Each structure stands twice: as C-alpha cells, then as structure tokens.
C-alpha cells in the first residue's frame, strides 16, 4: 500500500486550520488600510497568508510518497510533563527553579551525559530569566524568596 507524505500533509492541514481560524477571528477587528493599519490588519493578513502556505505544503504532499507517522510516545510524555511541571513550579518556586526543572524533565529522553543536561538546563533557566524577568519585566519572581 502506498503511503502519502503524512508528515507534510498533517503539518500543512494544521497550518491551514490555524490560518483560517486567525483570519476569521481577526475579522472582528477593524481592518484599516495599508497606509493606516487597524488592529485587525496584521492578524488577518498573516492568518490568510498562513492558510495559503499551508495549502502549498499539503497539496503536493497528497500525491507524494512518504513514510507513515511514528509517534514517539516517550518524547511526547516528557514534553507534556515538563510543561505541566513548569506551570506547577512557577508560582511557588520562581522562574529559575521552574525553568530548570522543566528543562531537566524535557531532556530525559536525550542520550547525553547528565553534566551536559545540567548545563543546558542552567542556560535555559538563565535565558528565561533574562527574557521574561529582566527584558519584558514580567511580574513573576525569579527565585522563591
């Protein structure tokens, strides 16, 4: 049996769905003109552009052969667990601990030494603090104290 290029097909359809959603939802806002853009101009244009690009990815994939999708359940589980852990730790322990812990959980399936996982998690934690606490000045604590 011939397998379609399901990776590109699913990805293209997802882009179309997301683009159509944003294009339609943003039409609630005033469009404006190219010279004087309203609040809906940018999301409407980008939404429909994303939908068209999704079609350009999905249509050729319908006729192209490819390998079937193989879900990597362990990666999916650890990725989801790291997001849940970050959300659970953010308020009580701060951004540094939450980002570090989430990175460590996300790196469980990676076949790299523990020392390297610690370094990657520390860098991710530091960048998260620099971007969100320092740069964007979000009102979240960096540390629990």
């Amino acid at each position: 049996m011939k397998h379609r290029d399901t990776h590109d097909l699913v990805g293209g359809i997802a882009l179309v769905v997301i683009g159509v959603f944003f294009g339609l939802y943003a039409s609630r806002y005033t469009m404006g003109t190219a010279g004087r853009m309203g609040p809906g101009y940018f999301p409407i244009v980008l939404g429909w552009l994303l939908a068209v690009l999704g079609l350009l990815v999905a249509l050729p994939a319908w006729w192209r052969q490819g390998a079937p999708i193989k879900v990597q359940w362990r990666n999916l589980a650890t990725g989801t667990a790291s997001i849940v852990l970050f959300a659970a730790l953010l308020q009580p322990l701060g951004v540094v601990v939450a980002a570090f812990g989430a990175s460590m959980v996300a790196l469980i399936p990676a076949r790299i030494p523990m020392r390297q996982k610690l370094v990657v998690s520390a860098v991710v934690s530091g960048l998260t603090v620099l971007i969100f606490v320092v740069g964007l000045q979000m009102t979240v604590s960096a540390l629990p104290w």
Side-chain angles (χ1 to χ4, degrees), residues 19-109:
V20 167
F21 171 77
F22 279 106
L24 291 175
Y25 189 82
S27 65
R28 298 177 178 191
Y29 302 109
T30 52
M31 177 78 165
T33 64
R36 188 156 176 90
M37 295 178 196
Y41 191 90
F42 193 67
I44 289 171
V45 170
L46 283 184
W48 291 113
L49 183 63
L50 185 64
V52 169
L53 290 175
L55 280 174
L56 292 176
V57 170
L59 288 177
W62 182 262
W63 291 280
R64 188 173 52 231
Q65 276 189 315
I69 292 178
K70 182 176 182 271
V71 178
Q72 297 176 353
W73 294 106
R74 186 173 181 199
N75 292 351
L76 179 64
T78 56
T80 304
S82 70
I83 293 169
V84 171
L85 181 70
F86 181 83
L89 295 180
L90 182 60
Q91 195 65 27
L93 298 179
V95 175
V96 173
V97 177
F100 188 86
S103 297
M104 286 298 290
V105 170
L107 287 170
I108 287 173

